[in-house]
Amino acid sequence: MSFRVSFQVLCSIICPLIPAVTAHFHAYVETPNWLATNGSTFHAPENQTPMPALVIDTFQNPTHNDLGFWHGPGEDLPVQHEPGFIRLFPTDPDQNFHTQFNIHGCFSLIPWQKQLLHVVFEGNEEFTVSLNEHNTECYPQRSPFPGTPDSVQASRYVMRTQILSGDDEKSSNDTGTDTNTHAPNTITRRNARRQAQRVPSNDTREDDGDNEQNSASPEKTELFIPLSHFHINHNRVVSVSFSGFYTNVSLTLRRVEIVSAIPPPSPNNNKFIIPEKAPSGKLILRCSRPNSFAFGIDDGQPQYAQEVMRILDEEGVKVTFFAVGAGLRDPTTNFTNFYREMMKKGHQVALHSNTHPKMEALPTLQDIDEEVVRTIQTFHDELNLTSRYFRPPFGTVGARMREALASRIKDPYIVNWSVDVEDWLWGNTSTPEHQLDAFYRSVARGGNLAVMHFLNPSTVGYLPQFIRHIKSAGFKIMRIDQCLEDPNSPPL
């Protein structure tokens, strides 16, 4: 079947996004710093008796934490370090700061699994905290690394304690309230969106940060997050990270540790109690079915759609397409007919937002929710389709987006990747063959879930070579829902 398409119309939607894709495509990028260590190792105790506090980071060293392993920024996050704190100056939700438990293998948090992550900080409260799982081989040269995280929104777990004199503090804490009770957080929050702080000159940085704390806020701000709120394999943890920044307010980290208890609710901490874990989508980076491989093909330019269809027909493989709602609603793109035909042929079609923004960068939860709701409605109206599968634009993932998806879709899968053809980097250059190099390299490292687009002819032209390379390696190519062993997926 032949379809009429309009390159000009869809390019008005997709083409302006290409430079942003090129500049900020990855939420996580491996750097040599991930493999750094000061030569020491730390081993978790094997017994199951109550554990003392595990101090992870007090930021005494610019490159290593208290466990002896690397801590540092990713995605060009500007930082300022002084003994005792690290100050982050974010401008993008993909920017991140990690502090590692181990690099030589997996670290087990099982002895502390009933305890809490405790973070002492100042400034920005609008960010994501993640506990990151290592890959199954506990080996950083295998993909994905870091592995899958689970994430929470920091602002839900903030305890603000008034800084009182010794007598006042003793009086305020005189309560027998059970600190293990989980209930909605009743704290009245101040407006955390203070005026954005920029990196000051070298001779004023520390004074500016400390003066802000002492003059503007007579409070100590802390996070208390139960480790049980991070739904990952606690036997193979690799790091704690901070990301998902959607304001330019700086964040100063002073202490990261695991503790067994929190102060009881009292007037001087606004009767803080731990909130319930918010429902959150599951982040996927790789297939679970043995010997499987899946291509996740994001939206592209309509002029290449028929060629993609022809290649998939000739190679006899099924893939998953992630479609943008705005393109489906525009009849001049003819994407609705294209994806209907692909569904008839047995391919999976899944969600890719409404207008393709970096969703975690949107200023309000209402904005994120609108992206989710509009794309769900468009899929229903144009394709008569519901889907639990969602690929975040640019691969940007944060707690707000994960929670927004879970509020609208039951048990959503948030699908990123462990194989990147890097078409966003090489597709429109004089060396497009680097896309093949990137693909082969990712597969050799153990990746089995790919991301690519049909935005340029070189990527489409390499698609048969991608497919044949996977077949020759002995993998079976299938849809993403099939490679994840979804019981609702079609039989192989």
Side-chain angles (χ1 to χ4, degrees):
M1 181 178 294
S2 175
F3 298 121
R4 177 176 57 85
V5 295
S6 171
F7 165 73
Q8 290 84 1
V9 172
L10 190 70
C11 194
S12 68
I13 301 170
I14 298 295
C15 292
L17 304 172
I18 297 174
V21 176
T22 302
H24 297 290
F25 198 71
H26 295 293
Y28 292 106
V29 175
E30 182 188 29
T31 71
N33 289 333
W34 270 100
L35 307 180
T37 173
N38 69 359
S40 65
T41 60
F42 183 91
H43 300 284
E46 296 181 357
N47 62 71
Q48 296 297 315
T49 59
M51 301 300 298
L54 173 64
V55 179
I56 301 165
D57 213 332
T58 58
F59 305 99
Q60 301 302 317
N61 187 286
T63 59
H64 297 98
N65 61 24
D66 292 53
L67 301 179
F69 297 102
W70 175 76
H71 64 195
E75 297 291 330
D76 301 318
L77 171 65
V79 302
Q80 170 209 352
H81 175 264
E82 297 290 344
F85 74 87
I86 190 87
R87 187 163 293 135
L88 317 180
F89 298 90
T91 58
D92 187 275
D94 280 338
Q95 292 175 328
N96 56 79
F97 185 91
H98 284 258
T99 183
Q100 290 183 314
F101 288 95
N102 203 337
I103 190 57
H104 305 299
C106 287
F107 185 93
S108 177
L109 279 178
I110 296 299
W112 293 274
Q113 62 183 341
K114 295 183 179 180
Q115 299 190 18
L116 305 101
L117 178 67
H118 176 225
V119 180
V120 181
F121 73 104
E122 295 132 28
N124 195 341
E125 297 177 6
E126 306 299 334
F127 59 93
T128 290
V129 181
S130 300
L131 196 60
N132 300 286
E133 182 180 313
H134 213 313
N135 54 44
T136 57
E137 299 178 18
C138 299
Y139 182 49
Q141 297 298 336
R142 299 294 285 173
S143 183
F145 178 79
T148 302
D150 196 12
S151 306
V152 299
Q153 183 64 16
S155 59
R156 300 186 67 241
Y157 297 85
V158 176
M159 184 177 80
R160 299 182 190 85
T161 305
Q162 296 176 358
I163 300 174
L164 305 173
S165 67
D167 291 342
D168 289 341
E169 185 172 0
K170 181 178 179 181
S171 175
S172 295
N173 286 328
D174 186 15
T175 176
T177 305
D178 182 2
T179 62
N180 292 322
T181 300
H182 288 190
N185 189 353
T186 58
I187 187 170
T188 301
R189 306 193 185 282
R190 295 181 309 163
N191 182 2
R193 298 184 183 181
R194 303 170 186 166
Q195 182 178 359
Q197 302 169 356
R198 298 297 180 180
V199 181
S201 61
N202 289 335
D203 60 344
T204 62
R205 285 184 179 182
E206 186 171 1
D207 289 342
D208 286 352
D210 290 342
N211 285 340
E212 181 198 2
Q213 182 192 14
N214 293 335
S215 63
S217 175
E219 295 178 329
K220 180 180 182 181
T221 49
E222 306 168 85
L223 302 177
F224 286 95
I225 309 170
L227 293 183
S228 61
H229 285 200
F230 297 105
H231 296 165
I232 66 168
N233 186 334
H234 287 82
N235 245 333
R236 55 172 201 256
V237 178
V238 66
S239 70
V240 175
S241 64
F242 306 88
S243 63
F245 307 100
Y246 61 97
T247 76
N248 291 347
V249 179
S250 69
L251 169 64
T252 301
L253 298 171
R254 295 192 178 270
R255 189 176 185 89
V256 180
E257 63 183 345
I258 296 173
V259 298
S260 60
I262 66 172
S266 64
N268 76 313
N269 66 20
N270 296 290
K271 300 187 183 299
F272 173 80
I273 51 179
I274 297 172
E276 295 287 345
K277 161 75 170 177
S280 179
K282 183 178 181 180
L283 180 61
I284 302 296
L285 301 179
R286 59 177 291 109
C287 297
S288 62
R289 188 185 294 273
N291 297 317
S292 66
F293 192 98
F295 285 90
I297 303 179
D298 296 358
D299 250 340
Q301 295 181 2
Q303 62 179 337
Y304 305 126
Q306 292 301 302
E307 179 66 7
V308 170
M309 181 188 294
R310 183 191 65 79
I311 292 169
L312 297 177
D313 285 346
E314 289 184 356
E315 296 294 335
V317 298
K318 300 294 186 288
V319 303
T320 296
F321 289 94
F322 292 96
V324 173
L328 287 172
R329 289 194 302 274
D330 188 339
T332 64
T333 68
N334 207 47
F335 267 155
T336 292
N337 286 332
F338 171 72
Y339 287 120
R340 284 175 180 168
E341 182 67 13
M342 299 311 281
M343 291 167 61
K344 289 179 182 179
K345 290 175 177 287
H347 300 280
Q348 181 184 13
V349 179
L351 307 166
H352 193 37
S353 82
N354 181 47
T355 62
H356 205 278
K358 189 173 284 192
M359 290 174 61
E360 201 64 28
L362 296 175
T364 69
L365 286 171
Q366 181 178 353
D367 294 329
I368 297 175
D369 187 61
E370 183 177 351
E371 281 287 327
V372 175
V373 171
R374 285 297 304 277
T375 191
I376 290 173
Q377 187 63 48
T378 297
F379 266 56
H380 177 269
D381 294 344
E382 302 295 331
L383 301 176
N384 192 28
L385 178 66
T386 59
S387 177
R388 295 170 55 201
Y389 291 79
F390 179 89
R391 173 160 282 170
F394 308 99
T396 301
V397 178
R400 292 190 307 154
M401 185 198 72
R402 294 176 72 155
E403 292 170 8
L405 284 165
S407 72
R408 297 291 183 175
I409 303 170
K410 184 177 180 181
D411 300 325
Y413 286 112
I414 302 170
V415 183
N416 272 353
W417 54 83
S418 50
V419 174
D420 184 1
V421 308
E422 297 182 359
D423 50 356
W424 53 275
L425 180 61
W426 304 110
N428 290 316
T429 69
S430 60
T431 56
E433 67 274 9
H434 286 321
Q435 295 172 90
L436 288 170
D437 298 334
F439 183 81
Y440 298 154
R441 182 172 60 250
S442 294
V443 174
R445 293 187 58 194
N448 63 6
L449 200 167
V451 59
M452 61 172 289
H453 306 76
F454 52 104
L455 286 168
N456 57 72
S458 66
T459 308
V460 176
Y462 289 133
L463 180 55
Q465 294 181 64
F466 296 152
I467 292 172
R468 291 164 193 170
H469 179 75
I470 295 303
K471 288 179 176 179
S472 67
F475 295 100
K476 182 172 180 60
I477 298 172
M478 60 191 70
R479 297 162 33 143
I480 289 176
D481 56 351
Q482 293 172 323
C483 92
L484 295 176
E485 304 173 271
D486 187 335
N488 296 315
S489 64
L492 294 176

